[in-house]
Amino acid sequence: QKEVEQNSGPLSVPEGAIASLNCTYSDRGSQSFFWYRQYSGKSPELIMFIYSNGDKEDGRFTAQLNKASQYVSLLIRDSQPSDSATYLCAVSPLYQKLVFGQGTRLTINP
Amino acid sequence: GAVVSQHPSRVICKSGTSVKIECRSLDFQATTMFWYRQFPKQSLMLMATSNEGSKATYEQGVEKDKFLINHASLTLSTLTVTSAHPEDSSFYICSAGGSGQGRYEQYFGPGTRLTVT
């Protein structure tokens, strides 16, 4: 079992709809959870981080964390074509390096 | 978020030569620097982890004599690809990690695209 698992996609969502990206992790000691966005040919860009159970909202993005079920998700409301990218979930035990999932490729269709 | 710079952004070199890539954390005290490599349409692959002032820890399968890493300060790490070959052509990305506000954070540089001819 991989430490951090994501559906590789591609995930296609119509413009204006909600895109839902999911991630599960195996290490119960994980403390920090991150979502990165990576456009083709570019390096990953941090878009959200979450440390506590529940929801965290930032603009059109909402991160959801459920430590009991060991999953973290990212919701993108009012999806735009510019949201088309690969989304990387990353998990970290306290003060340790990130463990990345393989990424989910998201395509927003106009 | 923190700013991490990389230089050069793009480099083309001849087979057999060495290339040095610099990674600077501009406004973040990076206790740890990471070097990743990414081939087209593939996931990030962690190559090595380095802590300031100590030797880098290389991932399995990464040749430490070929990929020399120096982490001289909390803000600067370098990766030198020695005797580069065409199969070393890839996108190299550094990342700076550290504790900000009591939590772990990690930020990526913009990457360096290496082409070996």
Side-chain angles (χ1 to χ4, degrees):
Chain A
Q1 181 189 7
K2 292 181 182 176
E3 293 181 72
V4 180
E5 293 209 47
Q6 293 181 254
N7 187 326
S8 61
L11 174 65
S12 292
V13 173
E15 183 176 358
I18 296 175
S20 177
L21 304 161
N22 299 311
C23 172
T24 58
Y25 59 95
S26 60
D27 184 353
R28 284 196 172 273
S30 300
Q31 298 284 331
S32 307
F33 306 86
F34 304 83
W35 283 99
Y36 290 83
R37 176 177 62 198
Q38 186 175 24
Y39 291 114
S40 180
K42 302 293 185 183
S43 71
E45 171 194 9
L46 179 65
I47 54 172
M48 288 285 286
F49 58 85
I50 186 167
Y51 305 125
S52 305
N53 275 328
D55 295 1
K56 179 182 177 182
E57 189 175 314
D58 184 1
R60 296 186 296 113
F61 298 97
T62 299
Q64 299 175 318
L65 174 61
N66 184 323
K67 289 187 178 180
S69 300
Q70 295 175 245
Y71 83 77
V72 57
S73 62
L74 179 70
L75 301 178
I76 307 174
R77 289 183 300 283
D78 188 22
S79 297
Q80 303 296 311
S82 59
D83 295 326
S84 298
T86 296
Y87 288 80
L88 299 167
C89 170
V91 173
S92 173
L94 190 61
Y95 302 130
Q96 295 184 35
K97 67 183 180 186
L98 296 181
V99 179
F100 285 89
Q102 71 271 34
T104 298
R105 189 155 52 95
L106 173 67
T107 300
I108 307 299
N109 302 308
Chain B
V3 177
V4 179
S5 70
Q6 254 181 270
H7 178 80
S9 58
R10 190 178 294 267
V11 58
I12 300 173
C13 70
K14 291 188 177 180
S15 186
T17 60
S18 295
V19 173
K20 180 187 280 189
I21 303 170
E22 282 190 357
C23 176
R24 291 183 184 273
S25 173
L26 300 180
D27 59 354
F28 181 67
Q29 298 247 307
T31 51
T32 308
M33 291 277 205
F34 305 89
W35 287 94
Y36 295 83
R37 180 167 56 182
Q38 189 174 38
F39 293 105
K41 299 190 187 300
Q42 293 189 23
S43 299
L44 289 171
M45 188 195 85
L46 179 64
M47 299 175 67
T49 302
S50 73
N51 293 299
E52 183 246 346
S54 61
K55 289 185 178 180
T57 301
Y58 291 81
E59 296 298 303
Q60 194 171 10
V62 178
E63 299 174 59
K64 62 181 180 182
D65 294 330
K66 180 170 183 63
F67 299 99
L68 302 178
I69 292 171
N70 182 275
H71 190 167
S73 72
L74 285 173
T75 59
L76 174 63
S77 177
T78 60
L79 167 68
T80 301
V81 183
T82 62
S83 187
H85 290 284
E87 57 266 30
D88 298 323
S89 298
S90 187
F91 191 42
Y92 291 86
I93 312 170
C94 74
S95 183
S99 302
Q101 301 177 350
R103 297 285 187 176
Y104 180 79
E105 299 175 349
Q106 188 170 332
Y107 298 92
F108 285 87
T112 296
R113 192 161 301 282
L114 170 64
T115 303
V116 184
T117 60

